[in-house]
Amino acid sequence: MSTQTHRLTYEEYLKTPEIKARFDIVDGVMTIAPTPTVAHQRILGKLFSKLHQFVSGQQLGEVLFAPVDVIIRREPLRTRQPDLLFVTNEHASILGDQVEGPPDLVVEILSPSNTRSDLEAKLSDYATLGVGECWLVSPEARSVEILGLTEGVWVRFGISGLGEQVRSRVLPELDLAVVQLFE
């Protein structure tokens, strides 16, 4: 017996009711993500608070947290929901009901349920879209890895652990100690 999967089109996606769950759509197929752990949400809350305070204080743009859809492509439909994203004022036109264009920065907080292939697929989608910088926050290693997009390829700009500062090229004046995320 075979089962058929209905592949969601962009037009159908726009007509769907708001869903509170986190999900990605890959080639029209919706995949619901596991509910984040309390530790994950604590890290996200601290990171959002620090980035929002900095970005709004400097009037640099907008910081958003999941769930918010980033449209990778319309046909076949592909979306991602990074844990957190930052869009500069210069790129604010990409913000509508969804994000239609590359955020300047995306953050993924790694979970035990993340597989290497899942992470590589997300990074590939972010590169295809032209996202400038991606942070991979590891609760297990208590670190933040900074990846920058150079000629369409992710390059590691650094890994910061406890006792070190996050060094962002997108937000170079940001003063963020890694320990603040894991206290």
Side-chain angles (χ1 to χ4, degrees):
M1 175 155 89
S2 68
T3 58
Q4 291 186 349
T5 302
H6 175 72
R7 297 197 183 275
L8 198 61
T9 66
Y10 182 73
E11 290 73 27
E12 291 169 327
Y13 158 78
L14 291 176
K15 294 176 186 174
T16 59
E18 185 175 319
I19 299 173
K20 301 287 186 216
R22 291 194 55 190
F23 62 89
D24 289 325
I25 300 173
V26 177
D27 297 334
V29 177
M30 184 183 293
T31 305
I32 304 292
T35 302
T37 64
V38 170
H40 180 282
Q41 291 301 87
R42 285 180 178 147
I43 294 166
L44 179 57
K46 290 173 185 176
L47 189 53
F48 175 78
S49 177
K50 299 289 183 191
L51 286 178
H52 183 265
Q53 182 179 17
F54 175 76
V55 166
S56 63
Q58 302 290 320
Q59 299 179 339
L60 300 174
E62 193 163 355
V63 179
L64 302 170
F65 54 88
V68 63
D69 291 327
V70 176
I71 307 295
I72 305 300
R73 68 173 178 246
R74 290 184 178 194
E75 290 299 326
L77 182 60
R78 190 186 270 300
T79 69
R80 294 294 181 178
Q81 292 186 351
D83 287 298
L84 190 138
L85 61 88
F86 164 65
V87 176
T88 61
N89 290 326
E90 293 78 22
H91 299 136
S93 64
I94 71 170
L95 299 175
D97 289 336
Q98 300 83 28
V99 179
E100 292 216 49
D104 295 275
L105 166 69
V106 296
V107 177
E108 292 287 345
I109 300 172
L110 305 178
S111 301
S113 63
N114 292 129
T115 65
R116 180 140 187 95
S117 64
D118 289 341
L119 182 58
E120 287 173 356
K122 285 181 182 183
L123 289 173
S124 176
D125 284 345
Y126 295 147
T128 297
L129 194 59
V131 172
E133 187 169 284
C134 180
W135 297 4
L136 302 177
V137 179
S138 173
E140 186 177 338
R142 301 179 79 162
S143 66
V144 178
E145 181 176 2
I146 308 290
L147 303 174
L149 197 60
T150 303
E151 296 180 15
V153 177
W154 290 111
V155 175
R156 180 186 294 155
F157 289 148
I159 299 177
S160 302
L162 298 178
E164 298 177 314
Q165 300 291 115
V166 173
R167 297 286 174 223
S168 171
R169 292 184 182 206
V170 170
L171 297 169
E173 296 178 14
L174 176 67
D175 183 24
L176 177 63
V178 173
V179 72
Q180 293 176 304
L181 304 178
F182 301 104
E183 293 175 321

